[in-house]
Amino acid sequence: MGVYMVTGSASGMGRSTAEQLRWEGHRVIGVDLHKAEVNADLSTPEGRASAVEQVLENCGGRLDGAVLAAGLGPIPGREKLIANVNFLGVVELLEGIHPALATAGNAKVVIFSSNSTTTVPGIPEELINAFKERDLDTALAIAEAAGPDASATFVYAGSKTAITHWIRTIGVTEEWAGAGIRVNALAPGAIRTPLLEQQLNDPELAPSIRAFPIPVHEFGKPEEVAQWAIFMLSPAANFLCGSVIFLDGGTDAYFRADSWPKAITPEEFPRFKQRMADFAASLEK
Ligand code: NAD
């Protein structure tokens, strides 16, 4: 049986994942604001550092996997919290626990992305890039300039897009894939958790959520998403690396059926050739 860190373990999909892991006999180190083995505020640098320290101590230097589910939804007025928890709350925790994951030799990581990465129109490219440069002030300023109606949505979708690009970037490096760590993302659509309920209870936000197309005609269930996370922590995921699994009742496919998969374009060909050369060079080391 393994030892797993689960952030956001006090509610929704993180909670359901932690419960099912425990039911299977694994040990779970939950990280949340409250009601967790590690109580820490992932919106601050001190809270994130403290979480890493406590998790490393609690796991004895070895983790079989991690689920990064702590996060906030696109609620207006919470932009700074959303940016910090959804982006740095994943990056800094994963970087901090990397040694413990590497020690396991075949660890698995699942981060919670979102189908807002592909279904929110017009997320500014500069905002996503600012996140990737860890310049959250710039990301927040770009979102604010888009106006009060778009700001929280852009910060939310931008943070989820940037974190998804980040895990795909690091996930295929020697430091992670080469250390036996498989890093992948789940991209849920609307799932019936307290996060979604909060939005459905908001008269400003509810109509657009209810009107958003879901081809299977219902919201997802947290316990079903948790089963996917657990599958992605299992040996079945040994060959899954840098992937993003959309679990959204068909919304992404509804809007963008032919956007992906897509061949490398002539414009992308120089980068492709460079990546081929880089990989060959890495094998010679
Ligand atoms: P939830 O609100 O039920 O649970 C989120 C958990 O994160 C809570 O326990 C909360 O306390 C914790 N958290 C929030 N801020 C924190 C902080 N500063 N420090 C530590 N913990 C903090 O949410 P959920 O719906 O289960 O969402 C889980 C993840 O899935 C989130 O990253 C969310 O963005 C993502 N997601 C959710 C949906 C959805 O429809 N529910 C859709 C797509 C993606």
Side-chain angles (χ1 to χ4, degrees), residues 11-13 32 40-42 69-71 85 113 156 160 188-191 193-195:
S11 175
M13 294 183 269
D32 209 305
D41 182 355
L42 300 181
V85 179
S113 174
Y156 179 77
K160 292 294 186 186
I191 311 294
T193 67
L195 182 150

Side-chain angles (χ1 to χ4, degrees), residues 113-121 123 161 164 186-190 212-218 244-262:
S113 174
S114 163
N115 78 342
S116 66
T117 51
T118 59
T119 62
V120 169
I123 314 166
T161 305
T164 308
L186 268 176
F212 212 59
I214 305 177
V216 303
H217 296 301
E218 60 183 0
V244 185
I245 311 286
F246 278 75
L247 208 54
D248 71 348
T251 304
D252 173 70
Y254 177 82
F255 282 121
R256 314 181 71 239
D258 50 8
S259 296
W260 183 92
K262 202 167 226 167

Side-chain angles (χ1 to χ4, degrees), residues 161-235:
T161 305
I163 199 60
T164 308
H165 290 179
W166 184 78
I167 67 105
R168 281 168 58 76
T169 304
I170 62 144
V172 296
T173 59
E174 274 302 294
E175 192 186 353
W176 293 83
I181 309 167
R182 301 289 173 262
V183 189
N184 296 288
L186 268 176
I191 311 294
R192 273 235 181 244
T193 67
L195 182 150
L196 183 69
E197 296 295 348
Q198 191 182 12
Q199 295 172 60
L200 291 171
N201 290 334
D202 184 324
E204 301 268 310
L205 299 175
S208 58
I209 293 170
R210 292 199 184 281
F212 212 59
I214 305 177
V216 303
H217 296 301
E218 60 183 0
F219 295 134
K221 298 179 184 68
E223 55 278 12
E224 291 177 0
V225 181
Q227 285 179 34
W228 279 86
I230 287 169
F231 189 59
M232 291 163 76
L233 296 173
S234 78

Side-chain angles (χ1 to χ4, degrees), residues 88-185:
L88 294 180
V90 176
V91 170
E92 292 182 9
L93 257 72
L94 274 185
E95 287 178 342
I97 64 169
H98 177 274
L101 294 166
T103 298
N106 62 348
K108 309 282 189 310
V109 172
V110 180
I111 72 124
F112 273 76
S113 174
S114 163
N115 78 342
S116 66
T117 51
T118 59
T119 62
V120 169
I123 314 166
E125 194 69 30
E126 336 62 280
L127 183 150
I128 297 166
N129 289 336
F131 267 114
K132 289 192 214 166
E133 285 158 20
R134 306 189 192 189
D135 182 356
L136 268 49
D137 289 340
T138 300
L140 288 165
I142 293 167
E144 196 181 348
D149 290 343
S151 180
T153 303
F154 277 173
V155 172
Y156 179 77
S159 68
K160 292 294 186 186
T161 305
I163 199 60
T164 308
H165 290 179
W166 184 78
I167 67 105
R168 281 168 58 76
T169 304
I170 62 144
V172 296
T173 59
E174 274 302 294
E175 192 186 353
W176 293 83
I181 309 167
R182 301 289 173 262
V183 189
N184 296 288

